[in-house]
Amino acid sequence: MTALRTTPGPRLPVRETVEVDPRTDPAWERLVRTGPGSLFTSPPWLRAVCGAYGFTPHAVVARDGGGSPVGGLTWVPLDDPRGARTSSLPFSDRADPLCADDATWANLLDASGLAAPGAPPFALRCLDGSSAEADPRLRTTGRAAWHGTRLDTSPEELFARLDPSARRAVAKAGRSGVVVELRSDLDAVRTFHGLHVRLRKEKYRMLAPPLAFFERIWAEFAPDDHLVTALALVDGEAVAGALFLEWDGVLYYKFGASRHEHLAARPNDAVYWAGLGHGLGRGLELVDWGLSDLDQPGLVAFKRKWASAERSLLTLRAGEPDPGNAAFGATLAELTRLLTDASVPDPITEQAGALLYRWFC
């Protein structure tokens, strides 16, 4: 399965590293599909993120003596009122280095200059076990949880493997009249985005990513039938949903949202089970449930009901943080607090996210 595999076979020593555009370079796409790559280092995801927020991605590819690509690393330089810094990658769960050995990783980091003396602070998020984790030039500053479910069985056996509480919740959703629609049209994405805006506002007092970002994701993935929006309906009204993206044999749960007043009907469980069923029907290897912050134990526990694998996602850093403009950061926080107040209409909160979300990376 893509999220856990490494590149097999012997390797020739790295002969050279070259700079490429990871949005379009064939060697980069080959690496993403054959190494420890993921949705978040894939060309369509990079095009969607960078196109929506005006970023320019950079990447280096290492080649062996035969000219074959054997490793890659991508990042986005940022320089705004929050300070100069480099991220791999903004608004992405992770961006694992595309290499399977320490020597190739060292060549990539050297060629990138990201950890060189005087370079802007650099942040990388990757699954544990990466060569980057053991590099003395980087320090671990954060941990999150990653969950996945292997799709190596029948629907009946997969259901039997789930935690009993998940099976009971799916049954309750059925008794409560929850119906899940799996749709690939843009209107479904827009309906889900409305749920997402409300959830972020009411539960977390946070702004949501702009609708334009979701529309770019749809434009990149829907034409290849690699996007599905799951909407849980009660009496015809969307009360929960999720956006699933497919890349290289894996189905990624990228965004989820629900209406708190309908949680007793267990619509989120119905959406998760529908996602697993969709992955099985597509003949995929894995459902990747994504990142869960450890300060959200309820979310971690919910995903554990569905997962057959759990790992750590590490945040690694080089250099010291740039304090940036403290007044700008304080103003951004206060604007967010004001614009997510219950008295503010959802459309205004949505427009605020479209204007301000870029500055949260």
Side-chain angles (χ1 to χ4, degrees), residues 155-225:
E156 294 77 15
E157 176 59 27
L158 181 59
F159 190 74
R161 290 180 186 178
L162 300 178
D163 186 273
S165 63
R167 299 198 300 267
R168 291 194 297 270
V170 171
K172 183 173 183 181
R175 294 194 302 271
S176 301
V178 177
V179 176
V180 178
E181 292 183 346
L182 297 177
R183 295 170 50 181
S184 59
D185 58 291
L186 184 55
D187 283 344
V189 173
R190 290 168 174 162
T191 297
F192 170 77
H193 184 259
L195 289 171
H196 195 54
V197 169
R198 178 174 292 190
L199 174 76
R200 300 263 298 184
K201 173 183 174 181
E202 294 181 350
K203 185 173 182 178
Y204 301 111
R205 295 298 299 273
M206 298 172 68
L207 297 172
L211 177 59
F213 175 43
F214 285 75
E215 291 174 337
R216 282 184 179 266
I217 292 173
W218 181 86
E220 289 290 344
F221 288 91
D224 295 325
D225 197 24

Side-chain angles (χ1 to χ4, degrees), residues 86-89 92-96 121-130 132-135 137-145 291-294 312-319 321:
T86 308
S87 173
S88 183
L89 288 160
S92 302
D93 284 16
R94 64 183 194 271
D96 305 84
F122 168 57
L124 165 72
R125 192 152 55 195
C126 58
L127 284 165
D128 56 4
S130 166
E133 181 182 357
D135 193 314
R137 292 171 290 182
L138 304 178
R139 63 190 186 280
T140 301
T141 61
R143 290 181 181 269
L291 179 151
S292 302
D293 289 322
L294 297 181
S312 292
L313 274 170
L314 308 178
T315 299
L316 308 175
R317 296 185 183 275

Side-chain angles (χ1 to χ4, degrees), residues 6-7 9-14 36 62 70-71 97-108 129-132:
T6 56
T7 303
R11 287 188 175 279
L12 298 174
V14 172
V70 295
L98 307 182
C99 62
D101 63 90
D102 295 349
T104 303
W105 161 252
N107 274 278
L108 291 168
S130 166
S131 294

Side-chain angles (χ1 to χ4, degrees), residues 323-335:
N325 186 324
F328 177 82
T331 299
L332 191 62
E334 180 63 12
L335 281 172

